[in-house]
Amino acid sequence: MNVKICGMTSLEMTRGVIACNPDHIGFVFAKSRRQVSPDTVQSILNQLENEQVHIPHTVGVFANADTESLKPVMKSCTVQALQFHANEQLDICGWVKENSNMDVWLTLPISNVGKIDFEDELNHQFERLAKAAPYIDLLLLDTHDPVQGGGSGKVFQWDVIPFYQSRAQQLGMPLYVAGGLNPGNIGSLLSGYELDGVDVSSGVETDGIKDMSKVDTFIGRVRQHVHTRTSLPLS
Ligand SMILES: O=C(O)c1ccccc1N[C@@H]1O[C@H](COP(=O)(O)O)[C@@H](O)[C@H]1O
């Protein structure tokens, strides 16, 4: 069971989050109040390397990305995975693999729709990603957010998770869950579902800034639910 803490915006915040021992940290390149530039991220990573801090697997987060928007990150930043939200065109997954050695994480947006619509949505999503599947390393479920594509702090109806788990397993892809997680609801998510990983941003913040006490409690609760699966895409 892996845990990603997303939305680092400063050196001090990144240092504090890393001290809580997450498996992945995320930097948001999408338009968001958490948006950071590739140069800022690289300067944070360089400084931590100079301090000999052990840096976890790093993920860059995009929404509605096109290849032009990826180029500055691929050129000047050493994040190890790119996470795509709200991408209409999935050719971008193959393009990343042809042009870098970065992992590709694809987010599937979950709307809180009724059961019949949900089955249509599920089929549509997996038909759409079939062609790009060879280039995708990991699937992430997040609450559909029509405005910025993710990071809304809202929970989706978790009872759809097993349907996505079985499709992800058929494709041999790990499945992570995000969307409105926090120290108060993570225990109930993990008691109900055996996941490969979880991802959080808003729920470990106070007044829009990462709150190390919440980060530490969240990660501690995830660690209580450690499973034995080990073959996950940590570079
Ligand atoms: O965090 C953001 O600002 C963001 C912006 C645009 C797309 C994705 C974003 N973050 C990702 O959203 C999910 C859920 O976050 P939350 O815990 O509900 O706030 C997570 O995967 C973040 O990486």
Side-chain angles (χ1 to χ4, degrees):
M1 159 67 59
N2 286 336
V3 56
K4 168 168 164 264
I5 306 293
C6 199
M8 306 302 110
T9 54
S10 70
L11 174 61
E12 189 194 358
M13 180 190 290
T14 311
R15 201 189 277 120
V17 166
I18 290 176
C20 300
N21 203 22
D23 301 289
H24 318 270
I25 52 171
F27 297 95
V28 177
F29 296 117
K31 280 201 173 55
S32 156
R33 63 182 175 79
R34 306 183 182 97
Q35 185 177 20
V36 280
S37 71
D39 286 346
T40 300
V41 173
Q42 200 50 44
S43 112
I44 292 172
L45 296 177
N46 289 344
Q47 178 59 32
L48 292 171
E49 264 174 29
N50 290 342
E51 294 172 18
Q52 302 195 321
V53 171
H54 172 72
I55 302 172
H57 183 249
T58 49
V59 183
V61 177
F62 287 87
N64 297 306
D66 57 18
T67 52
E68 283 310 304
S69 63
L70 301 189
K71 283 178 184 169
V73 172
M74 292 168 75
K75 191 168 160 226
S76 62
C77 190
T78 55
V79 290
Q80 291 155 294
L82 301 182
Q83 173 179 325
F84 294 118
H85 289 247
N87 262 79
E88 293 299 327
Q89 302 303 326
L90 295 184
D91 317 2
I92 203 155
C93 303
W95 187 86
V96 172
K97 290 296 185 185
E98 276 163 26
N99 290 283
S100 77
N101 56 7
M102 291 170 169
D103 299 328
V104 171
W105 291 20
L106 183 69
T107 305
L108 301 177
I110 312 295
S111 335
N112 285 327
V113 294
K115 184 147 194 317
I116 294 168
D117 291 342
F118 159 70
E119 283 182 18
D120 281 352
E121 183 173 309
L122 181 78
N123 288 332
H124 172 69
Q125 286 179 331
F126 280 86
E127 274 160 27
R128 205 170 75 87
L129 73 75
K131 233 172 95 186
Y135 312 112
I136 299 169
D137 298 290
L138 183 147
L139 292 174
L140 172 70
L141 305 184
D142 183 24
T143 311
H144 174 62
D145 176 355
V147 180
Q148 63 174 21
S152 66
K154 292 189 186 135
V155 178
F156 64 86
Q157 288 170 6
W158 293 337
D159 54 1
V160 303
I161 292 173
F163 297 94
Y164 283 89
Q165 269 178 318
S166 86
R167 300 286 184 113
Q169 268 163 20
Q170 283 165 15
L171 292 169
M173 292 178 199
L175 185 77
Y176 284 18
V177 167
L181 303 181
N182 60 53
N185 65 14
I186 188 65
S188 107
L189 174 71
L190 299 182
S191 315
Y193 305 95
E194 195 170 313
L195 302 170
D196 296 308
V198 290
D199 181 4
V200 61
S201 190
S202 315
V204 291
E205 291 176 342
T206 299
D207 298 331
I209 303 286
K210 291 287 170 297
D211 177 329
M212 297 314 153
S213 157
K214 289 184 183 174
V215 173
D216 197 45
T217 306
F218 185 89
I219 295 177
R221 291 189 180 159
V222 173
R223 298 300 179 217
Q224 288 167 0
H225 288 267
V226 169
H227 297 301
T228 50
R229 298 184 66 173
T230 51
S231 53
L232 288 169
L234 290 171
S235 300

Short mmCIF file of all heavy atoms in Angstrom, two decimals, residues 27-31 35 60-74 81-96 102-107 128 145 147-150:
data_model
loop_
_atom_site.label_atom_id
_atom_site.label_comp_id
_atom_site.label_asym_id
_atom_site.label_seq_id
_atom_site.Cartn_x
_atom_site.Cartn_y
_atom_site.Cartn_z
N PHE A 27 3.91 17.28 -7.50
CA PHE A 27 3.99 18.71 -7.81
C PHE A 27 2.96 19.00 -8.89
O PHE A 27 2.92 18.30 -9.91
CB PHE A 27 5.39 19.06 -8.33
CG PHE A 27 6.49 18.84 -7.32
CD1 PHE A 27 7.21 17.64 -7.31
CD2 PHE A 27 6.79 19.81 -6.37
CE1 PHE A 27 8.23 17.42 -6.39
CE2 PHE A 27 7.81 19.59 -5.43
CZ PHE A 27 8.52 18.40 -5.45
N VAL A 28 2.16 20.04 -8.70
CA VAL A 28 1.07 20.33 -9.63
C VAL A 28 1.54 21.34 -10.68
O VAL A 28 1.86 22.49 -10.35
CB VAL A 28 -0.17 20.85 -8.87
CG1 VAL A 28 -1.28 21.21 -9.85
CG2 VAL A 28 -0.66 19.81 -7.87
N PHE A 29 1.57 20.90 -11.94
CA PHE A 29 1.88 21.81 -13.05
C PHE A 29 0.60 22.33 -13.70
O PHE A 29 0.65 23.23 -14.54
CB PHE A 29 2.76 21.09 -14.09
CG PHE A 29 4.11 20.67 -13.55
CD1 PHE A 29 4.47 19.33 -13.47
CD2 PHE A 29 5.02 21.63 -13.11
CE1 PHE A 29 5.71 18.95 -12.97
CE2 PHE A 29 6.26 21.27 -12.61
CZ PHE A 29 6.61 19.92 -12.53
N ALA A 30 -0.53 21.71 -13.35
CA ALA A 30 -1.84 22.16 -13.87
C ALA A 30 -2.17 23.52 -13.26
O ALA A 30 -1.64 23.89 -12.21
CB ALA A 30 -2.92 21.15 -13.48
N LYS A 31 -3.11 24.24 -13.93
CA LYS A 31 -3.57 25.52 -13.36
C LYS A 31 -4.31 25.23 -12.06
O LYS A 31 -5.31 24.50 -12.06
CB LYS A 31 -4.52 26.21 -14.33
CG LYS A 31 -3.82 26.92 -15.43
CD LYS A 31 -4.70 27.98 -16.08
CE LYS A 31 -3.90 28.81 -17.06
NZ LYS A 31 -3.23 27.99 -18.08
N GLN A 35 -0.22 25.38 -8.23
CA GLN A 35 0.64 25.27 -9.40
C GLN A 35 2.06 25.75 -9.11
O GLN A 35 2.26 26.78 -8.46
CB GLN A 35 0.07 26.10 -10.56
CG GLN A 35 0.85 25.94 -11.85
CD GLN A 35 0.23 26.70 -13.01
OE1 GLN A 35 -0.55 27.64 -12.82
NE2 GLN A 35 0.57 26.30 -14.21
N GLY A 60 4.65 14.57 -11.41
CA GLY A 60 4.19 15.88 -11.90
C GLY A 60 2.75 15.75 -12.37
O GLY A 60 2.42 14.85 -13.15
N VAL A 61 1.89 16.65 -11.92
CA VAL A 61 0.44 16.53 -12.18
C VAL A 61 0.00 17.54 -13.24
O VAL A 61 0.27 18.74 -13.12
CB VAL A 61 -0.34 16.77 -10.86
CG1 VAL A 61 -1.85 16.72 -11.10
CG2 VAL A 61 0.07 15.73 -9.81
N PHE A 62 -0.70 17.04 -14.25
CA PHE A 62 -1.21 17.87 -15.35
C PHE A 62 -2.71 17.69 -15.52
O PHE A 62 -3.25 16.62 -15.22
CB PHE A 62 -0.55 17.46 -16.67
CG PHE A 62 0.88 17.88 -16.80
CD1 PHE A 62 1.90 17.06 -16.31
CD2 PHE A 62 1.23 19.09 -17.38
CE1 PHE A 62 3.22 17.44 -16.42
CE2 PHE A 62 2.56 19.48 -17.48
CZ PHE A 62 3.55 18.66 -17.01
N ALA A 63 -3.38 18.74 -16.03
CA ALA A 63 -4.78 18.60 -16.44
C ALA A 63 -4.88 19.14 -17.86
O ALA A 63 -4.29 20.17 -18.18
CB ALA A 63 -5.69 19.39 -15.51
N ASN A 64 -5.63 18.42 -18.70
CA ASN A 64 -5.79 18.82 -20.12
C ASN A 64 -4.44 19.08 -20.78
O ASN A 64 -4.27 20.08 -21.49
CB ASN A 64 -6.65 20.09 -20.23
CG ASN A 64 -8.06 19.86 -19.72
OD1 ASN A 64 -8.74 18.94 -20.16
ND2 ASN A 64 -8.48 20.66 -18.76
N ALA A 65 -3.50 18.20 -20.54
CA ALA A 65 -2.14 18.44 -21.05
C ALA A 65 -2.05 18.18 -22.55
O ALA A 65 -2.73 17.31 -23.08
CB ALA A 65 -1.17 17.52 -20.32
N ASP A 66 -1.20 18.96 -23.22
CA ASP A 66 -0.80 18.60 -24.58
C ASP A 66 0.73 18.48 -24.58
O ASP A 66 1.38 18.80 -23.58
CB ASP A 66 -1.31 19.61 -25.62
CG ASP A 66 -0.84 21.02 -25.31
OD1 ASP A 66 0.13 21.19 -24.53
OD2 ASP A 66 -1.44 21.97 -25.83
N THR A 67 1.27 18.00 -25.69
CA THR A 67 2.71 17.72 -25.68
C THR A 67 3.53 19.00 -25.43
O THR A 67 4.55 18.95 -24.76
CB THR A 67 3.16 17.04 -26.99
OG1 THR A 67 2.70 17.83 -28.08
CG2 THR A 67 2.58 15.64 -27.10
N GLU A 68 3.03 20.14 -25.93
CA GLU A 68 3.77 21.40 -25.72
C GLU A 68 3.90 21.71 -24.22
O GLU A 68 4.94 22.17 -23.77
CB GLU A 68 3.07 22.57 -26.43
CG GLU A 68 3.30 22.61 -27.92
CD GLU A 68 4.77 22.48 -28.31
OE1 GLU A 68 5.58 23.29 -27.83
OE2 GLU A 68 5.11 21.55 -29.07
N SER A 69 2.82 21.46 -23.47
CA SER A 69 2.87 21.79 -22.03
C SER A 69 3.79 20.85 -21.26
O SER A 69 4.25 21.17 -20.17
CB SER A 69 1.45 21.81 -21.43
OG SER A 69 0.87 20.53 -21.50
N LEU A 70 4.06 19.68 -21.83
CA LEU A 70 4.95 18.73 -21.13
C LEU A 70 6.42 19.03 -21.37
O LEU A 70 7.28 18.69 -20.55
CB LEU A 70 4.69 17.30 -21.61
CG LEU A 70 3.28 16.73 -21.45
CD1 LEU A 70 3.28 15.25 -21.79
CD2 LEU A 70 2.77 16.93 -20.04
N LYS A 71 6.71 19.65 -22.52
CA LYS A 71 8.12 19.80 -22.92
C LYS A 71 8.98 20.52 -21.87
O LYS A 71 10.08 20.05 -21.57
CB LYS A 71 8.22 20.49 -24.29
CG LYS A 71 7.88 19.52 -25.42
CD LYS A 71 7.94 20.19 -26.78
CE LYS A 71 7.51 19.21 -27.85
NZ LYS A 71 7.28 19.87 -29.15
N PRO A 72 8.53 21.64 -21.29
CA PRO A 72 9.40 22.30 -20.29
C PRO A 72 9.71 21.41 -19.10
O PRO A 72 10.81 21.44 -18.54
CB PRO A 72 8.56 23.52 -19.85
CG PRO A 72 7.56 23.74 -20.92
CD PRO A 72 7.29 22.40 -21.54
N VAL A 73 8.74 20.60 -18.70
CA VAL A 73 8.97 19.69 -17.56
C VAL A 73 9.96 18.60 -17.97
O VAL A 73 10.91 18.29 -17.24
CB VAL A 73 7.63 19.08 -17.08
CG1 VAL A 73 7.86 17.99 -16.05
CG2 VAL A 73 6.73 20.17 -16.51
N MET A 74 9.74 18.04 -19.16
CA MET A 74 10.62 16.95 -19.59
C MET A 74 12.04 17.45 -19.83
O MET A 74 13.01 16.70 -19.68
CB MET A 74 10.04 16.28 -20.84
CG MET A 74 8.76 15.56 -20.48
SD MET A 74 7.80 15.02 -21.87
CE MET A 74 8.69 13.66 -22.44
N ALA A 81 7.42 10.61 -12.72
CA ALA A 81 6.15 10.18 -13.33
C ALA A 81 5.33 11.41 -13.69
O ALA A 81 5.47 12.46 -13.06
CB ALA A 81 5.35 9.32 -12.33
N LEU A 82 4.49 11.27 -14.71
CA LEU A 82 3.54 12.32 -15.08
C LEU A 82 2.13 11.77 -14.86
O LEU A 82 1.82 10.65 -15.30
CB LEU A 82 3.73 12.73 -16.54
CG LEU A 82 5.12 13.28 -16.90
CD1 LEU A 82 5.15 13.69 -18.37
CD2 LEU A 82 5.51 14.46 -16.02
N GLN A 83 1.34 12.55 -14.16
CA GLN A 83 -0.04 12.14 -13.81
C GLN A 83 -1.00 13.01 -14.60
O GLN A 83 -0.96 14.24 -14.49
CB GLN A 83 -0.23 12.34 -12.30
CG GLN A 83 -1.63 12.14 -11.78
CD GLN A 83 -1.68 12.35 -10.27
OE1 GLN A 83 -0.74 12.01 -9.54
NE2 GLN A 83 -2.76 12.90 -9.77
N PHE A 84 -1.86 12.36 -15.39
CA PHE A 84 -2.75 13.11 -16.29
C PHE A 84 -4.19 13.10 -15.80
O PHE A 84 -4.79 12.03 -15.62
CB PHE A 84 -2.68 12.53 -17.70
CG PHE A 84 -1.33 12.70 -18.33
CD1 PHE A 84 -0.57 11.60 -18.69
CD2 PHE A 84 -0.81 13.97 -18.53
CE1 PHE A 84 0.69 11.76 -19.25
CE2 PHE A 84 0.45 14.14 -19.10
CZ PHE A 84 1.19 13.04 -19.46
N HIS A 85 -4.74 14.30 -15.63
CA HIS A 85 -6.16 14.47 -15.31
C HIS A 85 -6.82 15.09 -16.53
O HIS A 85 -6.23 15.94 -17.20
CB HIS A 85 -6.34 15.45 -14.14
CG HIS A 85 -5.93 14.91 -12.82
ND1 HIS A 85 -6.81 14.65 -11.80
CD2 HIS A 85 -4.70 14.59 -12.34
CE1 HIS A 85 -6.15 14.19 -10.75
NE2 HIS A 85 -4.87 14.15 -11.04
N ALA A 86 -8.09 14.71 -16.76
CA ALA A 86 -8.95 15.38 -17.73
C ALA A 86 -8.37 15.41 -19.14
O ALA A 86 -8.57 16.37 -19.88
CB ALA A 86 -9.25 16.81 -17.26
N ASN A 87 -7.65 14.36 -19.53
CA ASN A 87 -7.10 14.36 -20.89
C ASN A 87 -8.06 13.72 -21.87
O ASN A 87 -8.41 12.54 -21.74
CB ASN A 87 -5.74 13.66 -20.94
CG ASN A 87 -4.63 14.66 -20.91
OD1 ASN A 87 -4.29 15.18 -19.85
ND2 ASN A 87 -4.10 15.01 -22.07
N GLU A 88 -8.49 14.50 -22.86
CA GLU A 88 -9.37 13.97 -23.90
C GLU A 88 -8.59 13.01 -24.79
O GLU A 88 -9.05 11.94 -25.14
CB GLU A 88 -9.93 15.11 -24.76
CG GLU A 88 -10.87 16.05 -24.02
CD GLU A 88 -12.11 15.33 -23.50
OE1 GLU A 88 -12.56 14.39 -24.16
OE2 GLU A 88 -12.59 15.70 -22.41
N GLN A 89 -7.39 13.43 -25.16
CA GLN A 89 -6.57 12.63 -26.07
C GLN A 89 -5.56 11.82 -25.27
O GLN A 89 -4.76 12.40 -24.55
CB GLN A 89 -5.81 13.54 -27.05
CG GLN A 89 -6.70 14.44 -27.89
CD GLN A 89 -7.73 13.66 -28.68
OE1 GLN A 89 -7.45 12.55 -29.14
NE2 GLN A 89 -8.92 14.22 -28.84
N LEU A 90 -5.62 10.51 -25.43
CA LEU A 90 -4.69 9.68 -24.64
C LEU A 90 -3.41 9.32 -25.41
O LEU A 90 -2.56 8.60 -24.89
CB LEU A 90 -5.41 8.41 -24.16
CG LEU A 90 -6.55 8.69 -23.18
CD1 LEU A 90 -7.15 7.40 -22.66
CD2 LEU A 90 -6.09 9.56 -22.02
N ASP A 91 -3.28 9.86 -26.64
CA ASP A 91 -2.03 9.62 -27.40
C ASP A 91 -0.84 10.14 -26.61
O ASP A 91 0.29 9.74 -26.82
CB ASP A 91 -1.99 10.39 -28.73
CG ASP A 91 -3.27 10.34 -29.48
OD1 ASP A 91 -4.21 9.74 -28.95
OD2 ASP A 91 -3.31 10.90 -30.58
N ILE A 92 -1.11 11.07 -25.69
CA ILE A 92 -0.04 11.69 -24.91
C ILE A 92 0.73 10.64 -24.09
O ILE A 92 1.92 10.78 -23.84
CB ILE A 92 -0.63 12.80 -24.02
CG1 ILE A 92 0.43 13.80 -23.64
CG2 ILE A 92 -1.34 12.25 -22.80
CD1 ILE A 92 -0.09 15.15 -23.30
N CYS A 93 0.05 9.55 -23.73
CA CYS A 93 0.70 8.50 -22.91
C CYS A 93 1.84 7.86 -23.71
O CYS A 93 2.96 7.71 -23.20
CB CYS A 93 -0.31 7.45 -22.48
SG CYS A 93 -1.69 8.14 -21.56
N GLY A 94 1.57 7.50 -24.96
CA GLY A 94 2.59 6.91 -25.82
C GLY A 94 3.70 7.90 -26.12
O GLY A 94 4.89 7.55 -26.16
N TRP A 95 3.30 9.16 -26.30
CA TRP A 95 4.29 10.21 -26.60
C TRP A 95 5.29 10.35 -25.45
O TRP A 95 6.50 10.49 -25.67
CB TRP A 95 3.56 11.53 -26.87
CG TRP A 95 4.47 12.60 -27.34
CD1 TRP A 95 4.85 12.86 -28.64
CD2 TRP A 95 5.15 13.57 -26.53
NE1 TRP A 95 5.72 13.92 -28.67
CE2 TRP A 95 5.93 14.38 -27.40
CE3 TRP A 95 5.18 13.85 -25.17
CZ2 TRP A 95 6.71 15.43 -26.94
CZ3 TRP A 95 5.97 14.89 -24.71
CH2 TRP A 95 6.73 15.67 -25.59
N VAL A 96 4.80 10.30 -24.21
CA VAL A 96 5.69 10.39 -23.04
C VAL A 96 6.68 9.22 -23.06
O VAL A 96 7.89 9.40 -22.84
CB VAL A 96 4.89 10.40 -21.72
CG1 VAL A 96 5.82 10.28 -20.51
CG2 VAL A 96 4.03 11.65 -21.60
N MET A 102 9.87 8.48 -18.17
CA MET A 102 8.96 8.75 -17.06
C MET A 102 7.80 7.74 -17.03
O MET A 102 7.36 7.26 -18.07
CB MET A 102 8.38 10.16 -17.19
CG MET A 102 9.42 11.24 -16.97
SD MET A 102 8.76 12.85 -17.42
CE MET A 102 10.02 13.92 -16.77
N ASP A 103 7.31 7.48 -15.81
CA ASP A 103 6.10 6.66 -15.67
C ASP A 103 4.90 7.50 -16.07
O ASP A 103 4.91 8.72 -15.93
CB ASP A 103 5.90 6.25 -14.20
CG ASP A 103 7.05 5.42 -13.66
OD1 ASP A 103 7.67 4.68 -14.43
OD2 ASP A 103 7.34 5.54 -12.44
N VAL A 104 3.86 6.82 -16.54
CA VAL A 104 2.61 7.50 -16.90
C VAL A 104 1.50 7.04 -15.97
O VAL A 104 1.23 5.83 -15.88
CB VAL A 104 2.23 7.20 -18.37
CG1 VAL A 104 0.84 7.73 -18.69
CG2 VAL A 104 3.26 7.81 -19.32
N TRP A 105 0.90 7.99 -15.27
CA TRP A 105 -0.24 7.72 -14.40
C TRP A 105 -1.46 8.36 -15.05
O TRP A 105 -1.46 9.57 -15.32
CB TRP A 105 -0.05 8.34 -13.02
CG TRP A 105 1.03 7.72 -12.17
CD1 TRP A 105 2.09 6.95 -12.58
CD2 TRP A 105 1.15 7.84 -10.74
NE1 TRP A 105 2.85 6.59 -11.49
CE2 TRP A 105 2.30 7.13 -10.35
CE3 TRP A 105 0.41 8.49 -9.76
CZ2 TRP A 105 2.72 7.03 -9.03
CZ3 TRP A 105 0.82 8.41 -8.45
CH2 TRP A 105 1.96 7.67 -8.08
N LEU A 106 -2.50 7.57 -15.26
CA LEU A 106 -3.72 8.13 -15.86
C LEU A 106 -4.84 8.17 -14.82
O LEU A 106 -5.14 7.17 -14.16
CB LEU A 106 -4.17 7.27 -17.05
CG LEU A 106 -5.40 7.84 -17.75
CD1 LEU A 106 -5.07 9.13 -18.48
CD2 LEU A 106 -6.00 6.82 -18.71
N THR A 107 -5.43 9.37 -14.69
CA THR A 107 -6.54 9.54 -13.76
C THR A 107 -7.86 9.28 -14.47
O THR A 107 -8.10 9.80 -15.56
CB THR A 107 -6.54 10.98 -13.21
OG1 THR A 107 -5.27 11.23 -12.64
CG2 THR A 107 -7.61 11.16 -12.17
N ARG A 128 -11.95 3.70 -24.21
CA ARG A 128 -11.11 4.85 -24.58
C ARG A 128 -9.63 4.60 -24.28
O ARG A 128 -8.75 4.98 -25.04
CB ARG A 128 -11.60 6.06 -23.78
CG ARG A 128 -11.32 7.40 -24.39
CD ARG A 128 -12.08 8.45 -23.61
NE ARG A 128 -11.47 8.73 -22.32
CZ ARG A 128 -10.50 9.62 -22.12
NH1 ARG A 128 -10.04 10.33 -23.12
NH2 ARG A 128 -10.00 9.80 -20.92
N ASP A 145 -13.91 16.66 -11.62
CA ASP A 145 -13.92 18.09 -11.29
C ASP A 145 -13.91 18.86 -12.60
O ASP A 145 -12.88 18.95 -13.27
CB ASP A 145 -12.68 18.43 -10.45
CG ASP A 145 -12.57 19.92 -10.16
OD1 ASP A 145 -13.39 20.70 -10.69
OD2 ASP A 145 -11.66 20.31 -9.43
N VAL A 147 -13.95 21.91 -13.26
CA VAL A 147 -13.26 23.20 -13.31
C VAL A 147 -11.75 23.01 -13.52
O VAL A 147 -11.20 23.38 -14.56
CB VAL A 147 -13.54 24.04 -12.03
CG1 VAL A 147 -12.83 25.38 -12.10
CG2 VAL A 147 -15.04 24.24 -11.86
N GLN A 148 -11.07 22.42 -12.56
CA GLN A 148 -9.61 22.32 -12.74
C GLN A 148 -9.12 20.90 -13.00
O GLN A 148 -7.92 20.68 -13.18
CB GLN A 148 -8.85 22.95 -11.58
CG GLN A 148 -9.07 22.31 -10.23
CD GLN A 148 -8.16 22.91 -9.16
OE1 GLN A 148 -7.65 24.01 -9.31
NE2 GLN A 148 -7.95 22.16 -8.10
N GLY A 149 -10.03 19.93 -13.04
CA GLY A 149 -9.64 18.57 -13.41
C GLY A 149 -9.31 17.68 -12.22
O GLY A 149 -9.24 16.46 -12.35
N GLY A 150 -9.11 18.23 -11.04
CA GLY A 150 -8.79 17.41 -9.88
C GLY A 150 -8.44 18.29 -8.69
O GLY A 150 -8.51 19.52 -8.78
#
